Amino acid sequence: MIATDDAIEIEAERLFRSLMHVECDPRGRTWNLETCRSIAPLTLEINRLKREQGAVILAHSYVEPEIIYGVADFRGDSYFLSLKAREAKARVIVFAGVVFMAETAKILSPEARVVVPDRDSGCSLADSLTGEQLRQLKALYPDATVVCYINSTAEVKAESDVCVTSGNVYHIVEHLPARRILFVPDRLMGQNLRDELRKRGVDKEIITSDGTCTVHDEFSPGDIAEARERFPGLKVVAHPECTPDVARAADFVGSTGAMMTYVKTTGAPYYLMLTECGLVGRLEVEAPEKAFIGGCRLCPYMKLNSLEKIRDALQAPRPDQVITLPEDIRLRAARCIERMFELAPKA
Ligand code: 13P
Ligand code: SF4
């Protein structure tokens, strides 16, 4: 169905109200009314397909702003989106994020058809550890409780006792009865966890595997020192996938959702966001009075998502866009994620 000129104009104005604030655009676009007009036919088409198919679109905050503000039903961090996937009751879930997030949605909503815009949207953390490698590690530490970060494959989740996200890792591990924890696959988050537990006076041994996030492991304390000198009063906001040196030098460390809340509720002249640039785009829209000094980086996997690929995945998904999981793995992975919901702090 071809949209009328009037419908396109109304849609362009709707998009413009949010996107006009975005300066940190991954493709360097200027979000004026003309740019919004150019994508309006596509967002109209996607929103129509969504209604026809009983679909919901979940978008992680790192994907491009036209997805987040043009077509997403829910936008946020991994924890929030897994809750939404679990309660969605939708026939179709399109996950604009990366594959491990879509797998999590399939684990929690097995009746839904879960599709990804681009099957190559991996994650350096999830890709760093296979189920077989975890089985070998478990054999070395048979008495350890196995905690997996949600940035892991379904098979790794199936081999783990409990899943965590960046927003609840410290709380959940602190309250586990075991002293010895095998934490996979993020070595840097594991080190930050060790530091945080020490600060809280909690005695635990944290053993990690060797994955890192290709975006967050690149920030350095030097970036922070230089920025602080140039921008007095600056607040430095970091993700727990950053190195411990960076986490120690930051003013706040938390999940992308918590980072957004921190910025929105803190009065500071400038912010340095040590995370993926998509989060800065979201804050420019939702906290337009705040000033960001740059420094963020792009995740090449998140940036594989696009409106065109979302439209195709809804209209006629290719087999590679549809998430399927062996049922025994799905069931075991579901237990590990449900354990997280039981142990996570209640909002
Ligand atoms: P959040 O759950 O904090 O959004 O983190 C997801 C992620 O992939 C960070 O790199
Ligand atoms: Fe994975 Fe890092 Fe990209 Fe997050 S930012 S999806 S952890 S590679």
Side-chain angles (χ1 to χ4, degrees), residues 102-128:
E103 279 186 353
T104 304
K106 183 69 184 174
I107 292 165
L108 296 169
S109 264
E111 306 302 326
R113 182 170 77 201
V114 178
V115 293
V116 282
D118 192 314
R119 190 67 197 206
D120 290 332
S121 53
C123 165
S124 64
L125 280 172
D127 297 344
S128 72

Side-chain angles (χ1 to χ4, degrees), residues 194-229:
R194 221 175 268 143
D195 279 4
E196 181 64 25
L197 292 177
R198 203 173 300 127
K199 257 194 256 165
R200 295 182 185 195
V202 177
D203 175 36
K204 286 204 193 284
E205 182 189 3
I206 309 291
I207 300 152
T208 65
S209 62
D210 200 24
T212 62
C213 162
T214 176
V215 175
H216 292 88
D217 68 1
E218 290 286 316
F219 297 116
S220 77
D223 301 334
I224 300 178
E226 194 189 308
R228 286 205 196 276
E229 217 171 285

